[in-house]
């Protein structure tokens, strides 16, 4: 009977050790995956590509095309594509043309 108890005790120790090691490995992997997800979602989104400003109107354009261009500039500014200073610069170019 002592040999049987010794065998059962040894099996229990081995199983307990294996369970502890397995749990530790799982926790470590979960921590790594959580850190990767955190980095992935914490990184700021890349800035939008700079929008090409509308080309200045040709010298012989009429007032209607200038108004259309100014409307487009206003929409770009309202959408946040152009800053106020960029808007003013492009507006000045259109009105000088």
């Amino acid at each position: 009977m002592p040999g049987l108890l010794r065998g059962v005790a040894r099996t229990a120790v081995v199983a307990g050790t294996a369970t502890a090691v397995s749990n530790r490995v799982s926790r470590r992997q979960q921590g790594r995956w959580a850190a990767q997800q955190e980095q992935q979602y914490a990184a700021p989104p890349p800035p939008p590509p700079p929008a090409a400003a509308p080309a200045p109107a040709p010298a012989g354009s009429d007032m209607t095309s200038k108004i259309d261009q100014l409307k487009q500039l206003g929409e770009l500014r309202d959408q946040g594509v152009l800053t106020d200073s960029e808007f003013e610069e492009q507006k000045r170019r259109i009105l000088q043309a």
Side-chain angles (χ1 to χ4, degrees):
M1 189 85 134
L4 181 63
L5 286 176
R6 192 177 305 155
V8 171
R10 184 180 302 157
T11 302
V13 168
V14 170
T17 303
T19 302
V21 170
S22 175
N23 288 341
R24 183 172 181 225
V25 169
S26 293
R27 281 193 305 270
R28 193 172 5 161
Q29 285 177 339
Q30 286 175 347
R32 287 180 184 167
W33 292 337
Q36 286 175 350
Q37 284 182 342
E38 188 175 309
Q39 287 176 348
Q40 184 179 23
Y41 293 115
S61 70
D62 61 348
M63 190 54 100
T64 306
S65 66
K66 287 183 180 183
I67 291 173
D68 290 340
Q69 288 177 348
L70 290 173
K71 285 180 183 178
Q72 288 176 344
L73 278 177
E75 290 172 3
L76 290 173
R77 181 192 59 196
D78 293 342
Q79 293 171 359
V81 175
L82 292 176
T83 63
D84 287 336
S85 61
E86 292 171 332
F87 170 78
E88 292 298 327
E89 175 65 25
Q90 292 300 321
K91 182 174 86 170
R92 183 183 56 76
R93 288 183 183 177
I94 291 171
L95 293 176
Q96 284 180 353

